[in-house]
Amino acid sequence: MSVPARPLEPALYLVATPIGNLGDITLRALETLAGADVLACEDTRVTRVLLDRYGIQNRPYAYHEYNADEAGPRLLQALEAGKSVALVSDAGTPLVSDPGYRLAQSAIEAGYRVVPIPGASAPLAALVGSGLPNDAFLFAGFLPTKDKARRDRLAAFEAVQATLMFFESPHRIAATLAAAADVLGNDRVASVCRELTKTYEEFRRGTLAELAAHYADVDSVKGEIVLVIGPPPERAVEAADVDAILADLSKTMPTSKAAAEASRLTGLSKKELYQRLLDMKGGDGR
């Protein structure tokens, strides 16, 4: 197919591109890639494949972490000259674990318009395909490569009441799963989402212990991976612990606020905790 180059208003356009299947591109994204005065990308060879697929003649220019200090100011100069600049990553949504954040931040600080062109996103594709809770989630990019730093980072997320998502490389996935099982608990449910939207797409689900055992026995893992880990299981709170929490909070907070904070900490009803604290104070709230 061929996409017409429509004129664009001067702005920095952050254009999401497919994470594997080239069919996962929006019409608006194609029109933006075709019509932009300047098209910046991570790897011109990767972007050229996408452009050729849709008959787009625009010439891409490289902007990546190794030339950002040089290429970034040139792109800002194009915006200053009243041109439209489109930015794409090799796959997915720009600014997610790539240097595009620096360019967008600089453009905003300089007063230029920044326009997101939404589309494919590996973390969101992994989340909806994992089968894990999606009412609250936290994407944390890549974990550290060193074991201690990796474990410390995981420990910081241990109590977060949300599904966690990490990018991981195939040669580190076994070590990461082993560390996650140790830090977050063997029984915590997770999903290893590999090669999303591609021919060999795979969702392997199980507990962290089960997944760690599986990948410990796999000689070679291939493809890009998103590791999705479910939220921590709800823990029963003992009555004595609840009373201790309420008593401690009520030392520095009004009754209503103490009940609200205790509700956040324990997951129990604010109304019930409020009445419980009144009873502890003799019914008058003082």
Side-chain angles (χ1 to χ4, degrees):
M1 65 177 288
S2 179
V3 178
R6 304 182 188 279
L8 298 173
E9 294 182 2
L12 173 61
Y13 295 85
L14 308 175
V15 186
T17 55
I19 58 177
N21 190 317
L22 291 183
D24 295 335
I25 185 80
T26 69
L27 292 176
R28 186 183 178 202
L30 292 174
E31 291 177 351
T32 303
L33 297 180
D37 296 318
V38 180
L39 173 55
C41 64
E42 278 188 90
D43 189 324
T44 57
R45 296 165 298 180
V46 173
T47 299
R48 187 75 261 168
V49 172
L50 176 64
L51 299 180
D52 288 346
R53 164 72 179 270
Y54 293 102
I56 296 174
Q57 300 301 313
N58 211 345
R59 178 185 175 186
Y61 295 89
Y63 172 80
H64 46 68
E65 60 180 319
Y66 302 108
N67 76 344
D69 291 339
E70 178 184 352
R74 290 204 303 267
L75 296 174
L76 291 175
Q77 289 171 5
L79 291 170
E80 184 178 1
K83 295 183 177 181
S84 56
V85 177
L87 175 68
V88 300
S89 63
D90 282 350
T93 301
L95 276 62
V96 179
S97 294
D98 74 34
Y101 170 76
R102 293 165 55 189
L103 179 62
Q105 187 178 48
S106 297
I108 291 171
E109 291 175 351
Y112 301 120
R113 186 180 173 209
V114 174
V115 181
I117 309 296
S121 169
L124 290 179
L127 177 65
V128 298
S130 69
L132 295 172
N134 56 25
D135 55 330
F137 53 89
L138 186 154
F139 170 68
F142 287 93
L143 287 166
T145 57
K146 301 292 186 180
D147 185 63
K148 183 181 184 307
R150 181 192 294 128
R151 290 171 181 267
D152 289 344
R153 182 74 168 151
L154 286 167
F157 297 122
E158 182 179 5
V160 173
Q161 294 294 320
T163 293
L164 307 175
M165 295 179 289
F166 304 95
F167 284 156
E168 192 50 277
S169 69
H171 66 273
R172 286 200 302 265
I173 186 62
T176 293
L177 286 166
D182 287 345
V183 175
L184 303 178
N186 287 327
D187 294 333
R188 194 139 164 191
V189 292
S191 177
V192 175
C193 312
R194 189 177 63 85
E195 290 290 83
L196 294 170
T197 79
K198 300 176 184 176
T199 303
Y200 298 104
E201 178 181 81
E202 177 187 45
F203 292 89
R204 184 170 292 275
R205 306 172 180 90
T207 65
L208 284 172
E210 292 168 345
L211 292 170
H214 170 80
Y215 284 98
D217 292 335
V218 176
D219 293 332
S220 177
V221 181
K222 296 180 180 180
E224 297 174 335
I225 293 171
V226 181
L227 172 60
V228 185
I229 302 175
E234 294 185 3
R235 294 182 174 86
V237 182
E238 298 293 336
D241 294 333
V242 174
D243 289 344
I245 291 172
L246 288 170
D248 185 59
L249 292 173
S250 66
K251 294 176 183 177
T252 58
M253 297 180 183
T255 302
S256 179
K257 189 173 181 180
E261 179 63 12
S263 176
R264 186 187 69 81
L265 293 172
T266 64
L268 300 176
S269 164
K270 176 186 173 181
K271 182 178 180 180
E272 293 179 2
L273 292 171
Y274 180 81
Q275 185 59 52
R276 188 169 188 153
L277 186 52
L278 287 180
D279 293 342
M280 289 171 59
K281 291 182 174 183
D284 58 4
R286 291 179 297 180

